[in-house]
Amino acid sequence: QAQLVESGGGLVQVGGSLKLSCDASGATLTPVVMGWFRQAPGKEREFVATISRGGRTTNYADSVKGRFTISRDNANNTASLQMNNLEPEDTAVYYCAARSEGWTSSRPSVYDMWGKGTQVTVFS
């Protein structure tokens, strides 16, 4: 059973924007670090962005730097991914992830909570 719930995916034209949200209120462990990953058809799951508990530390994949912004609202147990200037290469299923200890990381194996994903499709 997924502990995180993503929303906000959909169809968007090249150059457009989408904001993904992640609801962690159902998590059984405290989401210390939260992150976003994505997986395109036929490809491995790849890191997109991550944010520390207090929000002071963020890291991004090179492919999304300057276009995507990760944020979180600990009071509401949510995280978001604002995606601007979307490109066809951004088309993928986007997954929210969280880990209950440790630091920000781009390795999916260290995250112990996952959502089921939300589809983002960018068309030209």
Side-chain angles (χ1 to χ4, degrees):
Q1 183 177 357
Q3 299 188 52
L4 309 176
V5 180
E6 304 94 340
S7 62
L11 288 168
V12 63
Q13 204 163 11
V14 169
S17 299
L18 276 178
K19 186 173 184 178
L20 305 183
S21 296
C22 175
D23 182 356
S25 58
T28 55
L29 300 171
T30 300
V32 173
V33 174
M34 298 191 76
W36 289 93
F37 292 78
R38 68 186 182 186
Q39 188 166 18
K43 295 188 177 181
E44 293 186 355
R45 190 168 298 189
E46 66 173 4
F47 166 71
V48 175
T50 183
I51 187 168
S52 61
R53 173 73 173 163
R56 293 180 65 183
T57 300
T58 57
N59 298 103
Y60 297 91
D62 288 343
S63 59
V64 307
K65 276 181 184 175
R67 300 188 298 121
F68 291 11
T69 303
I70 188 171
S71 60
R72 65 187 295 172
D73 179 352
N74 292 334
N76 291 304
N77 265 325
T78 61
S80 298
L81 185 69
Q82 176 66 46
M83 306 185 294
N84 298 327
N85 196 19
L86 284 159
E87 304 168 350
E89 294 73 24
D90 297 317
T91 295
V93 176
Y94 283 71
Y95 297 90
C96 179
R99 61 183 307 199
S100 54
E101 59 183 13
W103 306 101
T104 57
S105 174
S106 61
R107 294 186 294 140
S109 61
V110 306
Y111 290 81
D112 44 20
M113 292 173 275
W114 289 87
K116 291 184 177 181
T118 185
Q119 176 71 46
V120 171
T121 303
V122 184
F123 64 95
S124 56

